[in-house]
Each structure stands twice: as C-alpha cells, then as structure tokens.
Amino acid sequence: MAKRASSGPSTTDIDMTPMIDMTFQLITFFMFVMNFSEAEQDDRIQLPLSQLAKPVEGAMETPITLQLTQDGSVIYAGELISVRDIGGYLEREKAVMLDAGKEPNSATLIVRADGRAKTGEVQDIIRICQEKGFERFVLRAQYDEGR
Amino acid sequence: MAKRGSQLADKISIDMTPMIDVVFQLISFFMFSLKVVAPEGDFDIRMPLGVAAAAAPDDQQVPPVRVKLSAGPGGELAGIAMNGTPVADFDELRSRIIALVGTDTGPNSLADRAEVELDCDQELRYVNVVRAITAVSGKIQDGQIVELIKKIKFTPPKRG
C-alpha cells in the first residue's frame, strides 16, 4: 500500500466560536429560568384567577399543602385521598412538628383548591385542620395579569 | 511593518469535543428540569377555633361585615348580599366596602380593624369565593394594589 504521510490529514477547520457562544447563551438562559422552589403544584388543580394574588416573597414557616380537586378529593404529598382521611395525615404532621419542638399553630396550611370545587369542601378541610390545632390558612389563587 | 505571511497558519488546534459534550449535557439538564410555573399568590384566612365566640367585645372591635354568597342549583353564583342588603356584582361589593371603610388603610384605620365574614352556600363553586375575597381585600389603582380589608374568615359550615 502506498504511504501518503505528509499530504495526509488535511482536515477542514470549522470555526466553533459562534456555536459555543450560542450554546453558552442557552445554558445561561436555562440556568436563570430554572426554578428551585419546592412549591407543590399539580396539573389536576385549576386554580381560580385573582388580580390580587401577587406572588409571595420569602418562604413560609412549615408550609403544609392540601390540594382539593374538582371532584372533591384531596391531593396531599402527591397522594390522592378523600377529605375525611386528611385528619389522620394531619395528626402525623402534628406529631412530627411536636417532635421538632414546634406548635401546630405555627404551621401554615396552604389550600390549593380547584375553582370548580365546592366551597363546602374547602370549609370542611379548614374545619378538620382547626380540629387538629392548625390555625393559619392561606387560600392560593393564580395571579391574573390580564385586564 | 514586516509581513509574516505563512507562519501564522501554524496554530495549535484545541480538541473541542469534550467541552462541547459537557456543554450539551448541561443544556439538556437545564432544559429537562425546566418547569413552567404560573405565578401564584395567597390570601390569608385567620380562623382560630373557638376564638370568635369567646372573644370579648371591646371598643377597638368593629362588627364584621357579613357577605353572603348564595348558590344556584348548579353551584353557580345566584346572589351576593352584604350585611343583608343585596349587591348586584363583585364590583358593587367592592365599592360598598370602600364606602364603608374609606380609603384610609394605614395602621389602626377602620379598614385595618374591619373584618369580613363570608357566609357561603355549600354547593357554591369555589371560584366565586376567591372573587369575593378579591373584591373585599383590595383594588387595583394605577397598577398598584390598594389594600382594603385583610381579615377574612368563613362562617362555620352549617350541615343540613
């Protein structure tokens, strides 16, 4: 076989600079829009809109999220349970808090209820939480930028 | 100036492949972990159990504004009433609240001390409750939120 030593590897040089520029731009973009918040959200819940529901700054002390679906079941920690069963879960939550030396009334119950759910069910959730000693409630709504 | 024509062509070529590999890994990580979240906000509801009945009336306390929301057969809003008088819609409810507490919302003002008690029918769609809370708790003026009544509570549920 003939050897083509010196004339051999004549590779075409591609200029990588623009591609790397763009790629780093993309990385920076995705890094900035990345959300590290642990906020519990669920696609099954369609929150009611409100113009006054401005996003909250800062973290709450011991947030407990209860999500009420349209048909009246509760999503707690990713599990679908019925409204009547939340008492047991809250009891466990309360025991954990007492173990950590916190009072249950320092926790904030975040109620993410679907706009089509019945008000009576939201009130049931609040009543059950009250019976377990929780006092702080927030009703979550989606911020409505329009109009 | 001296011309150094052909010598410049001897550049050291850096192998870009590992860097580009890593960079694309990073891009795909950030792309897949991207979660589009709609901005959400909270309304405070203060409902300690049993305090409402036990609290002694003092002169700082204003009687709560009772807002009654009635439901139609399908859960839709059938009527609004404030302190017993019917209100046409949520905009009118807001103007009634402003007429009642005034525009002074500073500390210890009437709006700061006033309280709204929501009396809702069991079957009412929850979206109406949030609209009522929006109406009583503030208004948008020149793009700014002017807060009205912040203390909101529900009447204890009546089970029929």
Side-chain angles (χ1 to χ4, degrees):
Chain A
M1 232 189 270
K3 224 178 162 191
R4 295 191 298 159
S6 60
S7 66
S10 64
T11 43
T12 330
D13 258 339
I14 310 166
D15 190 6
M16 291 289 208
T17 326
M19 194 186 92
I20 291 166
D21 283 358
M22 192 201 68
T23 319
F24 274 110
Q25 296 256 7
L26 279 173
I27 289 193
T28 344
F29 168 73
F30 283 116
M31 269 174 73
F32 277 112
V33 294
M34 195 171 167
N35 201 335
F36 285 103
S37 71
E38 295 282 302
E40 272 189 67
Q41 294 191 335
D42 202 289
D43 295 337
R44 285 167 280 187
I45 310 285
Q46 200 182 320
L47 285 184
L49 295 174
S50 169
Q51 284 174 285
L52 299 181
K54 280 272 184 192
V56 271
E57 306 280 324
M60 269 177 238
E61 194 190 340
T62 336
I64 302 169
T65 309
L66 291 172
Q67 320 197 56
L68 179 70
T69 61
Q70 183 188 359
D71 54 6
S73 20
V74 174
I75 304 171
Y76 168 78
E79 265 182 84
L80 201 64
I81 54 177
S82 84
V83 175
R84 272 169 287 119
D85 294 339
I86 62 172
Y89 289 90
L90 287 172
E91 200 67 57
R92 220 176 299 163
E93 198 84 48
K94 192 171 148 187
V96 171
M97 286 191 71
L98 289 172
D99 265 356
K102 289 187 219 163
E103 284 297 313
N105 59 13
S106 69
T108 311
L109 261 294
I110 303 169
V111 181
R112 289 184 89 245
D114 194 295
R116 298 157 296 180
K118 289 175 189 160
T119 307
E121 278 155 357
V122 179
Q123 286 182 292
D124 282 346
I125 292 180
I126 293 180
R127 183 180 49 80
I128 295 170
C129 297
Q130 282 179 325
E131 284 165 6
K132 300 291 169 203
F134 296 98
E135 286 181 3
R136 283 193 214 168
F137 300 93
V138 294
L139 300 181
R140 192 150 274 189
Q142 192 179 325
Y143 177 48
D144 180 15
E145 289 155 275
R147 290 189 301 145
Chain B
M1 227 186 270
K3 223 178 163 190
R4 297 190 295 155
S6 61
Q7 282 159 298
L8 274 179
D10 299 338
K11 277 196 284 184
I12 308 161
S13 67
I14 310 163
D15 189 7
M16 291 291 208
T17 325
M19 191 183 97
I20 289 165
D21 284 357
V22 168
V23 164
F24 274 109
Q25 295 257 2
L26 278 172
I27 286 194
S28 20
F29 167 71
F30 284 117
M31 264 176 75
F32 286 114
S33 59
L34 182 68
K35 205 168 48 174
V36 184
V37 285
E40 294 180 358
D42 293 329
F43 292 107
D44 281 317
I45 301 285
R46 240 174 294 163
M47 292 187 67
L49 189 64
V51 172
D58 56 56
D59 40 311
Q60 286 283 301
Q61 200 115 34
V62 241
V65 183
R66 285 181 65 87
V67 176
K68 165 88 184 144
L69 302 175
S70 336
E76 77 278 8
L77 186 69
I80 316 168
M82 186 179 128
N83 286 339
T85 43
V87 179
D89 54 12
F90 289 114
D91 286 332
E92 198 194 324
L93 177 67
R94 178 176 291 133
S95 21
R96 292 261 194 111
I97 293 283
I98 295 169
L100 188 76
V101 298
T103 43
D104 175 26
T105 52
N108 214 23
S109 63
L110 189 58
D112 193 43
R113 280 179 289 138
E115 190 174 26
V116 169
E117 195 174 68
L118 288 173
D119 182 5
C120 310
D121 280 351
Q122 295 279 312
E123 297 297 307
L124 186 74
R125 297 252 171 268
Y126 173 67
V127 64
N128 297 302
V129 178
V130 173
R131 282 163 69 194
I133 295 175
T134 308
V136 300
S137 63
K139 59 171 180 171
I140 306 276
Q141 201 172 45
D142 310 323
Q144 294 286 314
I145 293 177
V146 179
E147 285 185 332
L148 296 167
I149 300 178
K150 277 165 284 184
K151 290 184 198 160
I152 293 158
K153 65 176 182 181
F154 287 107
T155 49
K158 306 174 281 286
R159 280 277 159 192

